[in-house]
Each structure stands twice: as structure tokens, then as C-alpha cells.
Amino acid sequence: MAKRKRRPLVRSASVRPGIVGPPRPVPRHITRPPYAANAGGEPGPPRMAPARSPAEIEAMRQAGAVAAEVLLIAGRQVAPGVTTDAIDAVVHSEVLARGAYPSPLGYRTFPKSVCTSVNEVICHGIPDSRPLATGDIVNIDVTVYLDGVHGDTSAMFCVGEVDAESRRLVSGTLRALQEAIGIVAPGVPVSEIGRAIEGVARPGRLGVVREFVGHGVGTDFHGNLQIPHYHDPRNSTPLAEGMTFTIEPMLTLGSAQVELWSDGWTAVTADRSRTAQFEHTLLVTADGVEVLTVTADGRCAHDLSEAPAPGVPRR
């Protein structure tokens, strides 16, 4: 039997804004984060301490599990022809069904319940009427507010058959996150997280976005602790038991410079090269790290992209 000749994969043209529908309603019985009560959604200055109490840690395990469950469901929606707004509708419904609030909704006037960042969109893409196309890659970033704390996670999904360079980008970004998680432990300087990420990105010829960083998370959506994804020895804050934060490297196939759409949210690469991001919420334990954004049975959407690297701890 003759071997079928493979047609070359063609990437989609640059992403253009679609129509953004109205925010989806939230029932009154769902507890809202404080910023959702403000007209502009302003959270005010961070209030939480760097480390969580035992009660907060247990609440974050629950919030993280919900975020992981919803992200898995969201990823199953990804297919050619599906709009990112349709993904938002599913995320919104699934978060509410679990008694949680979709943290992005109303945060500094963000109009949707999830971020969907396609191709050259680095982060904070607003779900809209644009349908996904074969060859696209999309990051879905889910954060939920449950029992007074936030759980924050994201993953990349490929839409149908994707070109080799995009697959290399996606797998390299996941590997960078895994390497960074693997070095987290009490006493390790924050700068070592960036060093681990660059240790994957640079040999892989991938750019590292500097404008957006990981952050403390807990009772605040974004705490004071910042986690740069590049190495700077001045970031010498030592990690300590009880700290909770995200690591969420954003790597690119080309320029790591950032431009912003007129919506004030959507960040894209300056040269429109593709970009990828993976994210977990983490807890520093007495002897290492616990990944909080996994389901009760240890699954997460990252498993759909690549098996976890050996030695990366999972709860």
C-alpha cells in the first residue's frame, strides 16, 4: 500500500480580536472575592502574609483541586471551530457547579471567567467569538475562589494537528515548569526558579517573557511575593515553609518583547511569534514542595501535553 504524502502544516494568521459578549451572571449564593464587590474590581494592596495558616493550606488544596478539575474539562472542549467564548461558558458553569467563583470575572474589570490565549497571545486573552482553527495552540488559565482562597493553574492545548516548532515550544515550556518546581524547597532563593527555567529555555532556543511573573496566591489573588521566570541574583528572597505561589513560565519561539492590545489586557509577542505557558499553584513544605493544582486523584491538564518529568512531586 502506498504511503500517503503528508501535506505541510500551515499556521493560522495572526490572531485578531473577535466579539466579546457580556459577563456571565453569578448566583447570589456564591461567595465572591472582595474585589468583585467594587465597581472597578480593584483588589487594593495585597494583605496576606507570605505563608499560609494550616486552615488556609487545606482550603487551598480544595480550591486547587477544583481549578484542576475545571481545567481538564475546559481542555476537552478544544477543537477546530469551537470559540473561546464557548470555552468560557463551560468554565463558568463548571466553576459555579462546584460552589466556587471564577476569579478573573470582574477583576479590574476583566469581563470573562477564564483567560484564553491563542498562538502569539502571551497571556490574559479575553474569550470572544473567534473560532479555534486547526494548527492553533491555546493556553487556558483557570483560577477559582473557594472558601476564601484562590487556586490558579493553566495549560496549553493543541487544536488538531500542530506544526513541529509549536510542539517543541509547548513541550519545552512544560519541561521548564517541571524543572522549576523540582528545585523548590525551604531556603532556596527565588532567583533559582528563574535559573531553572532559563536552563531549559536557552538551550532550547526559546525566549523568556520578563514582563509577567509568578506571584503569591492565597487569600489574595496576587500577593506581594513575585516569582520571575528569569535568573536575577538580586531576587534573593528565600523560600520558606508555608509559602504559596504560582510558577507560570511564558516562553516564545521568537521575540520575548511584549505589546498590548487596545483592550488593555491581551498581551502579544512583538514579532507575533508563538508563545506558550503552563502554571501550577505550589506550597513550600518542610522538605520540598506540594503541587496544589491537581485533582483529588492526582491528575492535571498538563498530563495531556506530556507525562510529568521524573522527580516532580505530586500530592
Side-chain angles (χ1 to χ4, degrees), residues 45 105 120 135 138 203 237 256 276 281:
L105 183 62
E120 72 267 22
V138 56
T237 300
T281 296

Side-chain angles (χ1 to χ4, degrees), residues 50-65 147 149-150 217-219 240-244 281-286 290 292 315:
R52 310 275 65 72
S53 70
E56 288 172 341
I57 289 170
E58 187 52 40
M60 290 194 68
R61 290 188 179 113
Q62 300 306 312
D147 293 335
V149 297
H150 299 268
V217 63
T219 52
E241 183 179 357
M243 283 183 172
T244 52
T281 296
L282 307 167
L283 165 69
V284 182
T285 63
E290 180 181 330
L292 296 175
R315 180 172 177 264

Side-chain angles (χ1 to χ4, degrees), residues 28-76:
R28 290 185 178 181
H29 72 274
I30 298 292
T31 301
R32 292 157 168 76
Y35 57 79
N38 302 330
E42 285 299 324
R47 295 176 177 84
M48 70 182 194
R52 310 275 65 72
S53 70
E56 288 172 341
I57 289 170
E58 187 52 40
M60 290 194 68
R61 290 188 179 113
Q62 300 306 312
V66 167
E69 290 170 9
V70 173
L71 184 56
L72 279 166
I73 294 168
R76 291 198 287 268

Side-chain angles (χ1 to χ4, degrees), residues 35 101-107 110-115 141 143-144 221:
Y35 57 79
Y101 181 90
S103 302
L105 183 62
Y107 180 81
F110 191 84
K112 291 294 182 176
S113 298
V114 68
C115 296
D141 190 341
T143 311
V144 306
F221 194 169

Side-chain angles (χ1 to χ4, degrees), residues 41 46 72 163 172 178 181 230 237 290 302:
L72 279 166
D163 66 276
Q178 293 167 339
I181 293 173
Y230 54 90
T237 300
E290 180 181 330
H302 299 187

